[in-house]
Every structure is written in C-alpha cells, then in structure tokens.
C-alpha cells in the first residue's frame, strides 16, 4: 500500500506542458517550482496524485538493455535523490525526454507534474519518492452561482481530480536494481499508450511474489486449458475440476511449492511430468523465471482468479456454472438426436 499523509511531505512541485511534436504542439517549460500557498489546493493535488496508487501491489524497476545508467528517467531521478537542488533542472530533462517520445498521432498533449515527496509510505516503509504525473483529458464542469437573488449557470473546463491519466512513483530504494517503481496508466490497453511504460519510462516487472504468482497462475491456466487436452483425453468437466483445484490451492496456501502443487492438484504422474515439461517450455518462450517455490501474493491471485473459470459453454444455447461435486454431472450421447448431452443431478431447485 502507498500513502502520503501530510501536504508538507509534498516538498517540491513543478508543472510543464508536453505537447505532441508530430501534431505541431509545443513543449512549454516552467522556470522554477510552484509555490503551494493554498493548503486546500495542496490537499486536492495530493489526493489526485496518490489516491490511484493506494492499493498498488505490482511494482516495476527501470531497465536498459546495455546499462541501467543509460535509462534517462532513472538517471534524472538519481540526480534528484542525490541533491534536491537538482530538482528543477532534472524535471526539465524529464519533460524533454517525454516530449521526444510523444510522437504517436493519438497521444494527447497535457500538463506534466513532477513532484518530490520527503516521506512516502510504501508497504510499511517510509521512503523518499519522486512522482511523475500527466493529465491528458479535460472535463467540462457546470458552475452554479447566485446573481441578484437568482441562480445562474456557466461552465468551464478542467482536470478531474478523481481520474489520473498517467502516473509514476519512484521510491528511493533498491537503486542498483533500478529503484522500486509503481505505475498508473488509465489507457494502458491501447497501443498508443505503450509509450508511457516502454518508451518513456523503460521499466519491467520486479521479480517479486506478485510477479511470480501472476506468472504461475497464467502458466497453470494455459497448461490445463490448452496443453493437457492435447496430450490426454480430457473432458471440459475434468478441466473445470482441475481449474477449481488450482484456484483453491492458490487461495488457501501461503507459499507455492512445485512438488506439493503437482501432488495435490494434478495427482497423476503423467500429468505431473507434462506439467514440468510445459513449465520449461513456458520459461523459454516468455523468457521468465518460474521458481519451484515462492510466496503467494493474494492481490496477484485475485487479479488472475477470473481465468479459473468454471463455466461449461454448450454451443450458443447454455452456460453451465460448475461449482460443486464433479460426480453430479454425467455426459452422454443421444443416438436419436445425434447430439451430446449433460445430465445434472440435484436435490432441490433454488
């Protein structure tokens, strides 16, 4: 969990305007940090910047294929952490770096806020942090005001403080490994938004329990739904049963252990051997480390739990949700209709 409790912890703030160069939009740079004299505005800004990160569980780190020192944002943030007097100059460098990568025709220009927090709580640890935030979308607001004993209406446009478009918090820990970084991107699923994480920040997931759990959940789901049916005769009901057992394992255990999972969930020696082989294939294909043992991250499992679907889809006519005893479902074939069927046994209808 990430938290900043006091507006006084927001020591420095500067704002630049970063347009899209390909759309002939300019880069407008502030000459000095903003002086926050209104405590209400400061409190609103603090909520705008930090609230989207409140329940963050996934972290990243800066990276570079040749040398971490060649990662621009990493370098600029390191200089700020070394000496806060570098803040304004390095904020300008960060803005210039973002402007260089804001070239996709669909990337919107917007205000870039760069902040320095003296105290930021991350997972129970109090550390120094740098924030990089960008607002790209503006909303229209109605203003209701009293004029000569009558209410009037007007409108204005502004930033919705309940919706941060893009954000990044860099915590002053693990510097040699690329710092500990948390990211927000409200349109991360769109191709044009890749520039924020991959081109501008150049980050990759940290090899922590969250990432390891997320990876293993995906591996198990793919193995059960795709690989097992290729090697063994397996009905959809059997697949659902294995998915349920896998989900129960991740939900109830505090630590993942390969041998334990293989015995309790898969059971059959041939299935266990196939799973181990598939893990090696998965590691090589996705270039990921998949350890034999690791601590299970509940937030990562909850995020991936949707993939353990216990739904039996029959043509376009029926969706059967299977939650209970596998023995209460019977599959057969009707010769007269030349169609397959499922028979469900139950005691009462609810």
């Amino acid at each position: 969990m990430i938290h900043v409790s006091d507006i006084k912890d927001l020591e420095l703030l500067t704002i630049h305007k970063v347009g899209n160069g390909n759309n002939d939009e300019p880069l407008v740079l502030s000459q000095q940090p903003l002086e926050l004299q209104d405590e209400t505005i400061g409190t609103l800004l603090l909520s705008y910047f930090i609230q989207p990160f409140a329940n963050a569980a996934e972290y990243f780190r800066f990276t570079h294929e040749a040398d971490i020192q060649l990662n621009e944002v990493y370098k600029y943030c390191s200089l700020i952490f070394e000496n806060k007097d570098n803040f304004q100059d390095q904020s300008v460098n960060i803005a210039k770096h973002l402007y260089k990568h804001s070239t996709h025709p669909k990337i919107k220009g917007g205000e870039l806020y760069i902040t320095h927090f003296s105290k930021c709580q991350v997972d129970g640890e109090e550390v120094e942090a740098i924030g990089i935030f960008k607002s790209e979308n503006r909303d229209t607001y109605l203003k209701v005001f009293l004029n000569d004993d009558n209410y009037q209406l007007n409108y204005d446009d502004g930033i919705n403080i309940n919706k941060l478009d893009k954000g990044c918090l860099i915590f002053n820990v693990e510097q040699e490994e690329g710092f500990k970084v948390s990211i927000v991107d409200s349109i991360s699923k769109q191709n044009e938004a890749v520039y924020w994480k991959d081109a501008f920040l150049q980050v990759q997931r940290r090899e922590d329990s969250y990432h390891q759990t997320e990876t293993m959940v995906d591996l198990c789901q793919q193995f059960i739904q795709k690989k097992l049916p290729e090697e063994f005769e397996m009905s959809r009901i059997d697949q659902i049963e294995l998915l349920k057992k896998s989900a129960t394992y991740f939900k109830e255990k505090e630590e993942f252990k390969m041998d334990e999972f293989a015995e309790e969930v898969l059971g059959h020696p041939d299935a266990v051997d196939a799973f181990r082989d598939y893990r090696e294939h998965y590691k090589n294909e996705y270039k990921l480390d998949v350890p034999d043992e690791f601590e299970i991250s509940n937030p990562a499992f909850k995020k991936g739990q949707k993939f353990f679907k216990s739904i039996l889809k029959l043509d376009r006519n029926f969706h059967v949700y299977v939650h209970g005893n596998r023995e209460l479902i019977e599959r057969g074939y009707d010769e007269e209709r030349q169609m397959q069927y499922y028979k469900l046994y139950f005691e009462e209808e609810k």
Side-chain angles (χ1 to χ4, degrees):
M1 182 175 180
I2 297 169
H3 183 61
V4 176
S5 59
D6 196 330
I7 185 59
K8 294 178 182 178
D9 297 331
L10 177 55
E11 285 193 331
L12 295 166
L13 166 64
T14 192
I15 305 174
H16 306 296
K17 183 66 176 283
V18 179
N20 185 321
N22 276 8
N23 296 336
D24 295 325
E25 297 172 355
L27 170 65
V28 182
L29 301 169
S30 295
Q31 300 304 305
Q32 59 186 19
L34 180 68
E35 292 187 13
L36 280 176
Q37 298 179 342
D38 189 315
E39 188 171 340
T40 300
I41 292 178
T43 302
L44 291 173
L45 282 174
L46 205 61
S47 175
Y48 177 54
F49 294 150
I50 300 300
Q51 188 59 38
F53 296 90
N55 296 315
E58 181 179 19
Y59 296 100
F60 298 79
R61 63 181 180 87
F62 291 115
T63 186
H64 193 278
E65 59 184 9
D67 185 345
I68 186 64
Q69 297 296 332
L70 298 177
N71 181 302
E72 287 89 341
V73 180
Y74 170 86
K75 179 177 65 177
Y76 304 144
C77 289
S78 296
L79 290 171
I80 295 173
F81 285 136
E82 288 174 12
N83 189 340
K84 287 185 292 186
D85 291 341
N86 295 324
F87 175 79
Q88 186 62 26
D89 288 343
Q90 299 312 316
S91 78
V92 168
N93 288 332
I94 291 172
K96 289 179 178 178
H97 178 59
L98 178 60
Y99 187 67
K100 182 177 71 174
H101 289 287
S102 301
T103 56
H104 190 284
K106 291 188 178 180
I107 291 175
K108 297 179 180 179
E111 291 77 23
L112 182 69
Y113 307 82
I114 301 175
T115 64
H116 177 271
F117 299 98
S118 59
K119 297 177 183 178
C120 187
Q121 292 238 350
V122 52
D123 298 334
E125 184 179 7
E126 191 173 86
V127 299
E128 185 184 6
I130 293 169
I132 305 173
F133 314 98
K134 187 185 177 194
S135 59
E136 296 179 336
N137 296 292
R138 304 183 76 85
D139 290 338
T140 300
Y141 298 92
L142 286 175
K143 296 196 296 185
V144 182
F145 58 94
L146 189 63
N147 184 19
D148 294 334
D149 296 327
N150 289 308
Y151 281 98
Q152 303 291 328
L153 279 174
N154 205 338
Y155 69 92
D156 202 350
D157 71 325
I159 297 166
N160 185 345
I161 63 169
N162 295 313
K163 184 180 179 183
L164 179 65
D165 293 319
K166 286 179 170 58
C168 173
L169 284 171
I170 303 101
F171 306 101
N172 193 14
V173 292
E174 304 175 12
Q175 180 174 0
E176 293 183 359
E177 289 77 37
F179 291 121
K180 189 174 185 178
V181 180
S182 185
I183 295 174
V184 166
D185 190 343
S186 64
I187 54 172
S188 60
K189 294 182 180 180
Q190 300 181 17
N191 292 333
E192 64 269 19
V194 172
Y195 84 100
W196 180 255
K197 181 170 72 73
D198 296 339
F200 168 58
L201 294 173
Q202 297 182 69
V203 293
Q204 65 182 24
R205 286 189 178 94
R206 293 169 76 248
E207 295 293 337
D208 54 16
S209 62
Y210 186 99
H211 181 235
Q212 291 163 341
T213 303
E214 185 180 51
T215 298
M216 186 57 74
V217 164
D218 181 66
L219 189 158
C220 292
Q221 182 262 338
Q222 289 198 36
F223 172 72
I224 294 171
Q225 292 194 324
K226 298 178 181 178
K227 188 62 178 178
L228 268 182
E230 293 177 2
E231 298 193 13
F232 306 95
E233 286 191 14
M234 173 173 280
S235 69
R236 177 59 183 151
I237 293 296
D238 291 330
Q239 285 181 274
I240 289 175
E241 184 69 15
L242 276 181
L243 288 171
K244 286 167 54 184
K245 290 173 69 175
S246 299
T248 299
Y249 182 92
F250 281 102
K251 185 177 181 179
E252 295 181 351
K253 302 289 185 178
E254 293 183 356
E255 187 177 1
F256 180 92
K257 297 180 180 180
M258 177 65 71
D259 292 339
E260 181 184 71
F261 176 83
E263 180 181 346
E264 292 186 11
V265 177
L266 301 174
H268 195 283
D270 291 341
V272 172
D273 291 341
F275 182 69
R276 294 186 182 279
D277 290 342
Y278 186 74
R279 184 183 72 151
E280 293 305 312
H281 164 77
Y282 187 96
K283 288 168 63 176
N284 295 329
E285 181 177 358
Y286 295 102
K287 304 294 188 296
L288 293 171
D289 180 37
V290 187
D292 285 348
E293 298 183 8
F294 56 87
E295 182 182 347
I296 293 175
S297 165
N298 286 328
F301 168 65
K302 289 179 181 178
K303 178 183 176 183
Q305 192 173 14
K306 61 184 178 182
F307 297 112
F308 291 106
K309 294 180 180 178
S310 56
I311 305 175
L312 188 62
K313 296 182 179 180
L314 309 177
D315 299 331
R316 296 185 178 180
N317 298 317
F318 306 102
H319 283 186
V320 180
Y321 291 80
V322 183
H323 302 297
N325 190 345
R326 160 72 176 85
E327 302 302 319
L328 298 179
I329 302 177
E330 179 182 320
R331 181 174 178 172
Y333 185 80
D334 189 308
E335 293 287 352
E336 183 177 343
R337 298 189 180 189
Q338 294 191 346
M339 296 180 70
Q340 299 181 76
Y341 65 81
Y342 279 100
K343 186 184 293 184
L344 311 179
Y345 295 91
F346 62 94
E347 293 182 355
E348 58 179 318
E349 185 175 352
K350 295 184 179 180

